[in-house]
Amino acid sequence: MKLFDISQLHQLLLDRFDDSRITAVVSEAVDPWVEVAPAAIHEVCLFLRDEAGLRFDHLNDLTAIDWFEPDPKKAKSFGHEPHLEVVYHLSSYEHLHSTVIKVRLPRWKDDIAGQPPEIPTVSTVWGIADWHEREAWDLMGIHFVGHANLRRILCPEDWVGHPLRKDYEFPLEYHGIRGG
Amino acid sequence: MSMQIEDPRVVEFDVRTDEMLVNMGPQHPSTHGVLRLLLRTDGEIVNEVTPHIGYLHRCAEKIGENLATPQWIPYTDRMDYLAAMNMNLGLSLTVEKLIGLELPPKAVEQRVVIAELGRIASHLVGMGAYGLDLGTFSPFLYAFREREIILDLFEEACGARLTYSYLTIGGATHPLPEEITIPPGLAALTRKSPSTRMRWKDAVLLFLEWLEPRIEEYHTLLTRNQIFIKRTAGLGELSREAAISYGCTGPVLRGSGVDHDLRRDGEPIYTDMYKDYDFKVIVAPFEEAPPEVVLGDNWCRFYVRMLEVIESISLVRQSLEKYDQAEGTTRVPYKMSTKLPKDECYLETECPRGQMGFYLVGNGQAEPLRLRAKSSCFCNLSVTKQLCEGYLLADVPSIVGSLDIVMGEIDR
């Protein structure tokens, strides 16, 4: 398994899609990545899966990161604008190469706290994305538009909030069970 | 209008059973922990399966954001508690990949010894528990008898029997032990005096020598047993395409005929550990399979695990040899307060149950900004819905059991 050359992948994607949809490339990282606009993720993933030279047929992992520092004292040195990132780790059984695709999302849709940000689902591209997206919804509060069954998967159905958000407050009580 | 019945058989065949919702679990013994399956059945036929998970959810990933990475190693033990050593290894390698830490050869060989012994122990439980799912008790007892000795050997190495935290960032907490008193189980099985002193390495070799011919016995007991074949062959067929799309890995993937093992095909930091080793990747279909077997069924998945035990036995023998000759120490110091770079990396390793991935995002602190554990069983379990539909209710434990899941890893 080797990393697919990131500048080559970036170029391939730019040739196919325009730069309003392929927004950035970061090559100075242990695992470099290409950043894609949220609205384009489904078609980009289909392209990555089906293009003969790429064939990323295995979605290793789909997860999200909350770039946010809840402590106002540390927020200055944090060095990142508050945002969410959805990360797709892909690999190919045929060519034995791997890559990373990222999508940048606002923490809340239209900056209204409590409104989950939206991104098209890729569960029609890879079957496993179904459960990974449910997990990302459950723990990170990202709404995958077009997902057939976007329910909580690890937390109980009536759980409030999304635990992996950095500003999540742990409930003091759940159905009479004390916590915290 | 009254209906006239001309042929009484029509009525007999027109009788419909009510659809019934059956709850299997979360305390059902054949669900391997706290898994709840909601089955919609029509008589004995299962029409729909909905797995409900999360009963063991501890949000280990959130805990990981508040700890330095070495402190999180014990949490990986408690994910896949049947292959805790392999889980330790996965996280350690991920951190080493991120900070670019290189290990001396001795530490690397030690990891191979431990990881492959862990794989044997895990597959033994997989085999025993699968027998139990299908209603035979003896293989379970034999499997646990064998596993007990591996646990004793691990106990000599690190003091723990289940949650080891032995392999850690920069190597292992201790080197392999020199001389030990023979584990009581091994002494009994090999008719040696319980007070025999021997080298740890020799105890392992003695055990492997004893274990290897036993595998053939398990084949007689299970693999080639007609009842076992009837209950596994041709059931729960998983096609190659579905296995890839649903992200199945490990024995489940190889049982469906995909030739992929991260020990050979993984990232360099992981494959380098195994580059001088001679082993083969076990992939279905098998020539020696009974005629009822089809590619990707329960029997194939089970058989892949059994053959992997043989490969692991050979790997442990080779690695013990290399460990003795290798130079250097078994640990590179890694301070708890080491700050992670502002970078990120993802690494998957071949755990007994599939490809376990760790994703680590550093932000200049000792605690990572995000620590994600991608569970292999989580992906393997997600395919249950497709596997069980249309089969009999009694086949559900057989199909779920063949995936060999550990709920601690799925729920994290």
Side-chain angles (χ1 to χ4, degrees), chain A residues 49-114:
Chain A
R49 186 192 69 178
D50 295 335
E51 182 71 9
L54 302 173
R55 285 251 188 269
F56 287 106
D57 48 6
H58 183 203
L59 176 68
N60 292 68
D61 188 20
L62 187 164
T63 189
I65 311 169
D66 187 7
W67 290 94
F68 181 66
E69 176 52 67
D71 187 349
K73 282 179 201 154
K74 292 182 193 162
K76 268 186 190 163
S77 59
F78 183 61
H80 299 275
E81 282 290 302
H83 68 281
L84 287 177
E85 240 171 14
V86 185
V87 191
Y88 303 77
H89 288 97
L90 313 175
S91 65
S92 163
Y93 287 122
E94 193 179 318
H95 302 297
L96 287 181
H97 56 221
S98 63
T99 196
V100 186
I101 302 291
K102 280 192 178 189
V103 176
R104 198 185 162 106
L105 289 176
R107 291 192 78 239
W108 302 107
K109 191 187 172 191
D110 305 328
D111 285 329
I112 303 169

Side-chain angles (χ1 to χ4, degrees), chain A residues 22-179:
Chain A
I22 309 300
T23 46
V25 58
V26 174
S27 42
E28 301 298 313
V30 178
D31 290 337
W33 68 84
V34 174
E35 204 177 288
V36 176
I41 187 66
H42 184 263
E43 44 184 340
V44 169
C45 284
L46 266 182
F47 172 75
L48 290 170
R49 186 192 69 178
D50 295 335
E51 182 71 9
L54 302 173
R55 285 251 188 269
F56 287 106
D57 48 6
H58 183 203
L59 176 68
N60 292 68
D61 188 20
L62 187 164
T63 189
I65 311 169
D66 187 7
W67 290 94
F68 181 66
E69 176 52 67
D71 187 349
K73 282 179 201 154
K74 292 182 193 162
K76 268 186 190 163
S77 59
F78 183 61
H80 299 275
E81 282 290 302
H83 68 281
L84 287 177
E85 240 171 14
V86 185
V87 191
Y88 303 77
H89 288 97
L90 313 175
S91 65
S92 163
Y93 287 122
E94 193 179 318
H95 302 297
L96 287 181
H97 56 221
S98 63
T99 196
V100 186
I101 302 291
K102 280 192 178 189
V103 176
R104 198 185 162 106
L105 289 176
R107 291 192 78 239
W108 302 107
K109 191 187 172 191
D110 305 328
D111 285 329
I112 303 169
Q115 275 208 47
E118 290 177 352
I119 181 173
T121 176
V122 294
S123 57
T124 46
V125 184
W126 299 283
I128 185 57
D130 183 346
W131 277 31
H132 281 323
E133 287 180 351
R134 278 177 69 189
E135 191 183 328
W137 156 248
D138 186 359
L139 302 181
M140 206 57 108
I142 294 167
H143 185 239
F144 291 89
V145 180
H147 191 289
N149 184 24
L150 198 65
R151 293 183 295 121
R152 284 184 184 271
I153 189 165
L154 292 174
C155 294
E157 301 253 333
D158 59 350
W159 197 258
V160 179
H162 303 283
L164 281 182
R165 289 278 183 131
K166 292 282 182 184
D167 51 359
Y168 173 74
E169 282 173 25
F170 197 82
L172 295 174
E173 189 251 339
Y174 176 72
H175 289 296
I177 307 162
R178 276 189 296 150

Side-chain angles (χ1 to χ4, degrees), chain A residues 28-30 33 67 76-80, chain B residues 98 339-345 360-365:
Chain A
E28 301 298 313
V30 178
W33 68 84
W67 290 94
K76 268 186 190 163
S77 59
F78 183 61
H80 299 275
Chain B
L98 185 69
K339 291 197 163 51
L340 296 172
K342 291 191 176 185
D343 204 341
E344 54 178 74
C345 81
L360 187 63
V361 184
N363 195 34
Q365 308 288 326

